[in-house]
């Protein structure tokens, strides 16, 4: 009889924390395209990590952590997508002409480049099986066997979804219109940005509602004006941070330039208001990878 025991929970948590640090941005690349939104994708990532840490104590044996996390994320995203009544599947069929080599041919390389450059929001137009396979293969460079195991389908089914998904994605990109035109900012956001760029921290703190909440992804949620006011202290340490009103996925947001008005913002934040006071701040500073795929349009 074996005398081996599962590693203690503290060791499991430490191992998972290390992996999360390495894998979080990759999880977001998958979830954002699966959801068709960088914001929703990060919500799925956060939910995935909460569920993973909660599940650790009930595991008799440690699973291979990378595929385990991706499966949790995949299933959580599917739950949310089914709630939106998104079309989920189409008949499976083999497509043996898809290569799976460590040295892909030029056509394979071009297909992967097209997938990486495709706007996140366009992936949602693919049926979910095609969407998952194209992202895992062409964006994250997974092998056919790894993808088949993760999605619990055959390698031939993976090939079929990949061939159809690639073809459909090319059609979507060809039919895509020009980028959305810029819109003017709301008066509230314009005032917030102006006060921030003037470094008027006291005026900004005065805008906080008594029950305001702050979410910074990797940090515990702060609640209440006294606690959330510390948020501005972080940014006050840098004289180069510059804000600009922007739009993302139909939502008014604020682009954050860490080193002055550079070509591309380092991250963004968005606010919720009630009667002219800020009730919620979502700041993506500590998960700046979210901005990498964001289709931000400056106001």
């Amino acid at each position: 009889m074996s005398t081996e025991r599962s590693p203690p929970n503290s060791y499991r948590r430490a191992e998972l924390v290390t992996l999360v640090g390495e894998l979080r941005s990759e999880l977001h690349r998958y979830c954002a395209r699966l959801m068709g939104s960088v914001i929703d994708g990060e919500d799925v990532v956060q939910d995935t990590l909460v569920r993973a840490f909660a599940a650790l104590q009930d595991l008799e044996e440690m699973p291979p952590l990378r595929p385990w996390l991706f499966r949790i994320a995949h299933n959580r995203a599917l739950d949310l997508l089914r709630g939106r009544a998104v079309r989920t599947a189409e008949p499976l069929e083999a497509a043996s002409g898809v290569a799976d080599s460590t040295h892909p041919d030029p056509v394979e390389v071009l297909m992967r480049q097209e997938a990486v450059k495709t706007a996140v929001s366009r992936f949602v137009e693919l049926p979910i099986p095609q969407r998952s396979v194209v992202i895992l293969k062409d964006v994250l460079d997974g092998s056919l066997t790894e993808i088949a195991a993760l999605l619990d389908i055959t390698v031939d089914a993976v090939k079929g979804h990949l061939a159809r998904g690639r073809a459909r994605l090319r059609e979507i990109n060809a039919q895509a219109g020009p980028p959305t035109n810029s819109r003017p900012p709301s008066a509230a956001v314009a005032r917030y940005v102006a006060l921030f760029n003037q470094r008027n921290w006291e005026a900004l703190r005065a805008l906080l509602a008594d029950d305001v909440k702050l979410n910074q992804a990797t940090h515990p949620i702060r609640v209440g004006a006294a606690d959330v006011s510390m948020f501005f202290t972080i940014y006050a340490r840098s004289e180069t941070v510059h804000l600009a009103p922007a739009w993302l996925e139909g939502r008014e947001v604020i682009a954050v330039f860490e080193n002055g008005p550079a070509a591309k913002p380092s991250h963004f934040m968005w606010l919720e208001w009630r009667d002219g006071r800020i009730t919620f701040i979502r700041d993506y500073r500590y998960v700046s990878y979210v901005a990498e795929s964001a289709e931000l349009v400056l106001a």
Side-chain angles (χ1 to χ4, degrees):
M1 182 176 178
S2 173
T3 58
E4 291 186 5
R5 297 181 179 180
S6 297
N9 199 48
S10 59
Y11 175 82
R12 290 179 169 186
R13 288 185 63 86
E15 188 176 357
L16 185 55
V17 166
T18 299
L19 181 66
V20 165
E22 301 169 353
L23 197 62
R24 185 164 182 149
S25 62
E26 192 173 345
L27 276 171
H28 180 262
R29 291 174 71 192
Y30 178 66
C31 294
R33 288 164 176 80
L34 200 60
M35 300 299 298
S37 161
V38 296
I39 292 175
D40 291 347
E42 179 58 20
D43 288 343
V44 173
V45 170
Q46 289 198 38
D47 199 11
T48 295
L49 300 183
V50 169
R51 290 165 183 253
F53 280 107
L56 276 181
Q57 60 186 10
D58 296 326
L59 294 175
E60 294 184 2
E61 296 182 3
M62 282 287 284
L65 290 180
R66 187 181 187 280
W68 182 62
L69 281 175
F70 266 92
R71 183 172 289 276
I72 294 174
H74 177 80
N75 290 338
R76 179 56 184 153
L78 289 193
D79 287 343
L80 295 173
L81 290 168
R82 290 189 185 106
R84 296 178 182 175
V86 174
R87 181 161 55 98
T88 59
E90 59 182 23
L92 301 180
E93 61 188 43
S96 57
V98 177
D100 187 32
S101 168
T102 55
H103 302 287
D105 61 37
V107 175
E108 283 278 300
V109 173
L110 288 174
M111 288 178 175
R112 292 179 186 179
Q113 289 175 346
E114 181 168 12
V116 170
K117 294 178 181 178
T118 296
V120 167
S121 58
R122 294 180 193 167
F123 281 87
V124 79
E125 298 183 45
L126 296 176
I128 291 177
Q130 294 179 15
R131 197 184 317 169
S132 298
V133 169
V134 170
I135 299 167
L136 290 168
K137 179 63 178 173
D138 289 345
V139 178
L140 301 181
D141 198 24
S143 71
L144 298 182
T145 53
E146 290 171 340
I147 297 169
L150 174 63
L151 302 180
D152 195 23
I153 57 179
T154 66
V155 170
D156 278 346
V158 171
K159 292 179 179 179
H161 289 313
L162 184 60
R164 293 191 297 276
R166 283 172 167 173
R168 178 62 184 135
L169 202 59
R170 287 196 299 273
E171 294 175 359
I172 292 169
N173 285 335
Q175 297 167 1
T180 304
N181 292 329
S182 176
R183 288 182 281 171
S186 65
V189 166
R191 182 186 179 201
Y192 178 93
V193 167
L195 291 173
F196 191 105
N197 290 337
Q198 294 165 9
R199 301 305 193 256
N200 193 338
W201 309 120
E202 289 307 312
L204 286 172
R205 291 187 176 98
L207 291 177
L208 299 176
D210 292 339
D211 58 349
V212 63
K213 295 181 180 179
L214 169 65
N215 185 324
Q216 290 183 295
T218 60
H219 293 261
I221 293 178
R222 293 181 180 270
V223 181
D227 198 15
V228 174
S229 66
M230 297 297 294
F231 170 70
F232 301 111
T233 304
I234 298 171
Y235 285 102
R237 297 170 185 160
S238 174
E239 297 181 358
T240 60
V241 177
H242 176 84
L243 303 190
W247 295 87
L248 173 64
E249 300 171 358
R251 184 195 302 267
E252 187 175 24
V253 300
I254 298 170
V256 182
F257 299 84
E258 288 280 5
N259 298 303
K264 185 176 177 60
S266 58
H267 60 281
F268 62 93
M269 62 179 76
W270 57 270
L271 313 176
E272 292 181 5
W273 303 78
R274 183 182 64 237
D275 299 329
R277 305 283 293 279
I278 301 169
T279 58
F280 184 77
I281 302 174
R282 181 72 177 269
D283 180 46
Y284 290 84
R285 181 180 189 183
Y286 300 106
V287 286
S288 57
Y289 55 78
V290 177
E292 293 176 5
S293 303
E295 301 163 57
L296 279 168
V297 179
L298 297 182

